[in-house]
Amino acid sequence: MRNNLYLFAFLTMSLFISCDNNDDNSSDQSAGNGITINSDATSLNQRLDYTNSGVISITNTSTAKGLATQSTTDLPMVQIAEINPPTDSNGRTLQANHVAVNGNYAYVAYTMMGEAYSGAIDVIDVTDPYKPKLLTSALIANTDITSLTYSNGNLIIAGAKDIDKDATLTNPAIVINMQLSSGMLTDKYTVTKLESHATTDVAANSSSYFAVTGDTGSLFKINNSTKAVTSKVAVEDLRTVALTGDKIVTLSGKKGVNIYSESTLALQKSFATSTDVSAAKRTIDFDGTKLLVSEGYNGLGVYDINSGSKLQTIGLASAGGDNVTNAVSVNDGYAFVANGAAGLNVYKSGTPLSLVGTVGITGSSNYVKSSGDYIYVASGKGGLKIIKMEKPNATFANCSSYGVYNQGKDLILNSNEVKSYNGSTAINSIIVNSGGVLTHCGSISVQNTLILNSGGTFNMTGTLAQGKYQQSNPTELIINSNALLQIEGSVVIWGDLRLNSGAKINFIGNNSSITIYGKVTKNSGVTITGTYKDTENKLK
């Protein structure tokens, strides 16, 4: 029974049959089989949903107060898939609440809201940028999973277990160290029991891992080899823990930020943040010497990690209800902020942070993790959204003189007009009229229609993503008579391709590719030349 359990937003976890010793800080190897692993590709990939896939927009209608906005044309994005959440052995739908990343593998944690304990972990492979695969999934009975992190070939998993189902436990809070096999989940794990209602977050380095517990909680340091707690510090209402250099940083909903020495857990600095509502998931991340803190109804707080001074407050325009800042993730010059029902906001790094805009995705943004070219957004019962940032994959010497696109959300080239651009461009639509020549080097996304009218030319070098997946009113890339699309790189068309009579496509080099998810209409006299890979075999 979950008496007064700390409900860490999506919370807790009930796992394996483990631990012979009833000492709260003991840890030992489980011999039980409390985990059910599914690696059947057919059944797993039925959970992949492409309904909302395709190019997505970033709008700069701010959900934050007091911020200048930045152009929305420099961060092209594509939602490549959604992963629907699993159901447990009792048919109950779980909720996505955390993501850890190692290379091309994303590990997704799921939990059960309410009184029942139940959890799961997915392993998703994004090696093929536009065709993610759900490789394996583990159902973990009687255990909620709150957080996880990858460390040295293991998953460190935070959670809470139903003590009514495990007589060896005095308290629900646990940490699990699961051995992975070539990145995949296994039933080899060690459980460390902690003194609280739930473990709310974990972090790890090469020699130790660190766990925090909520309610009357503590920061625990656990030895990577022995799996035993080596030291702890009591701090109430801990939400998250993160590492930067030789420092351990924790966030408490009541006590704010504490910074500890990694080696001894000696307190080095503390400073207050906004007092938070109880039992809510919150995260922090680092941007150089800035500490970004998700502060619930108070939005995002930006602090100097050395002085503790607050540098910036980014409040929600309509805070309240489900509009609440839950999580923040920093990656490659951007901060991605999960604001619940208010969506996912993107900020450009700097002093101060500047708003790029709100990402056009459906559902609530309860947690966000960005790594490499990807953004992973957990949406509770909405599952997981996988978003790819379309970054330029090379520097093209012949494009160095071209400027950055600055012509607004729609680009129309008049007859015989010539325009050339370089870099990353996100745009709503393109029309190239007769004799017009558009050249783009880098990465470009076109959310809606792209039309090359008679005699028009579009030279693209790098990547082009266009359209939306299987819409009732399909987006189209249309090439009319004697118009030319010239491709040096990769093209992904999420909607339909219409090649009218006399249309031309020319592929340059030996490594160009085209992926078409929609319907292809090819009329008479169409010419397709060059060497290319047709990933969906649509141009035959």
Side-chain angles (χ1 to χ4, degrees), residues 438-501:
L438 173 63
T439 300
H440 193 282
C441 291
S443 59
I444 183 169
S445 67
V446 183
Q447 186 173 13
N448 292 304
T449 302
L450 193 164
I451 301 174
L452 305 181
N453 283 322
S454 178
T457 299
F458 181 16
N459 303 309
M460 60 78 46
T461 302
T463 64
L464 165 66
Q466 184 267 332
K468 301 288 286 186
Y469 182 82
Q470 294 185 357
Q471 302 294 297
S472 55
N473 294 311
T475 55
E476 287 188 299
L477 194 159
I478 301 170
I479 306 177
N480 287 314
S481 174
N482 204 37
L484 171 64
L485 173 61
Q486 201 148 236
I487 300 167
E488 182 181 8
S490 169
V491 171
V492 179
I493 302 170
W494 292 90
D496 295 343
L497 172 63
R498 191 188 337 155
L499 302 172
N500 288 325
S501 297

Side-chain angles (χ1 to χ4, degrees), residues 80-374:
I80 60 174
E82 293 175 277
I83 309 294
N84 292 324
T87 56
D88 68 8
S89 59
N90 294 312
R92 299 170 298 191
T93 301
L94 302 177
Q95 299 198 26
N97 72 341
H98 205 92
V99 182
V101 178
N102 179 50
N104 289 324
Y105 289 162
Y107 300 89
V108 186
Y110 298 87
T111 195
M112 174 68 68
M113 285 291 287
E115 289 295 312
Y117 290 80
S118 188
I121 300 171
D122 283 342
V123 182
I124 299 165
D125 182 3
V126 293
T127 301
D128 186 330
Y130 300 102
K131 294 182 180 179
K133 297 177 182 177
L134 180 51
L135 298 180
T136 186
S137 184
L139 290 178
I140 305 166
N142 306 320
T143 306
D144 287 332
I145 301 177
T146 60
S147 174
L148 41 70
T149 190
Y150 176 90
S151 178
N152 298 317
N154 298 296
L155 271 187
I156 312 301
I157 304 165
K161 185 171 183 180
D162 187 349
I163 61 175
D164 292 340
K165 301 294 176 62
D166 188 339
T168 69
L169 290 177
T170 304
N171 298 295
I174 56 173
V175 177
I176 298 152
N177 188 321
M178 177 189 287
Q179 297 179 38
L180 301 174
S181 176
S182 301
M184 297 299 101
L185 307 172
T186 72
D187 60 359
K188 297 180 176 64
Y189 53 82
T190 301
V191 176
T192 301
K193 297 178 282 187
L194 304 179
E195 302 162 347
S196 189
H197 294 303
T199 306
T200 53
D201 198 15
V202 285
N205 60 23
S206 59
S207 61
S208 304
Y209 49 101
F210 303 85
V212 290
T213 55
D215 199 22
T216 53
S218 297
L219 164 66
F220 297 87
K221 182 176 181 180
I222 302 169
N223 183 278
N224 231 346
S225 299
T226 67
K227 313 302 186 292
V229 173
T230 58
S231 54
K232 72 173 183 176
V233 178
V235 183
E236 64 180 318
D237 196 24
L238 286 170
R239 310 300 179 85
T240 191
V241 59
L243 282 65
T244 178
D246 60 355
K247 296 179 174 64
I248 307 298
V249 183
T250 65
L251 174 67
S252 163
K254 296 179 180 178
K255 300 297 183 181
V257 169
N258 282 355
I259 301 174
Y260 301 90
S261 161
E262 182 274 333
S263 58
T264 64
L265 296 192
L267 181 64
Q268 297 180 338
K269 184 177 291 296
S270 62
F271 52 88
T273 60
S274 298
T275 302
D276 203 358
V277 297
S278 63
K281 188 177 182 89
R282 303 288 181 255
T283 73
I284 59 177
D285 208 348
F286 308 97
D287 185 5
T289 59
K290 294 192 290 292
L291 174 66
L292 280 61
V293 179
S294 54
E295 297 186 325
Y297 293 128
N298 294 302
L300 182 72
V302 183
Y303 298 83
D304 185 299
I305 195 168
N306 294 316
S307 68
S309 61
K310 194 167 193 179
L311 304 176
Q312 190 175 2
T313 297
I314 303 176
L316 290 165
S318 56
D322 293 329
N323 292 343
V324 55
T325 299
N326 294 310
V328 57
S329 182
V330 176
N331 180 24
D332 197 21
Y334 293 93
F336 303 93
V337 181
N339 290 323
L344 179 71
N345 273 14
V346 183
Y347 300 90
K348 185 74 173 176
S349 292
T351 305
L353 272 67
S354 59
L355 178 69
V356 177
T358 302
V359 182
I361 56 177
T362 60
S364 181
S365 298
N366 298 330
Y367 177 82
V368 60
K369 174 67 178 179
S370 182
S371 179
D373 291 344
Y374 296 93

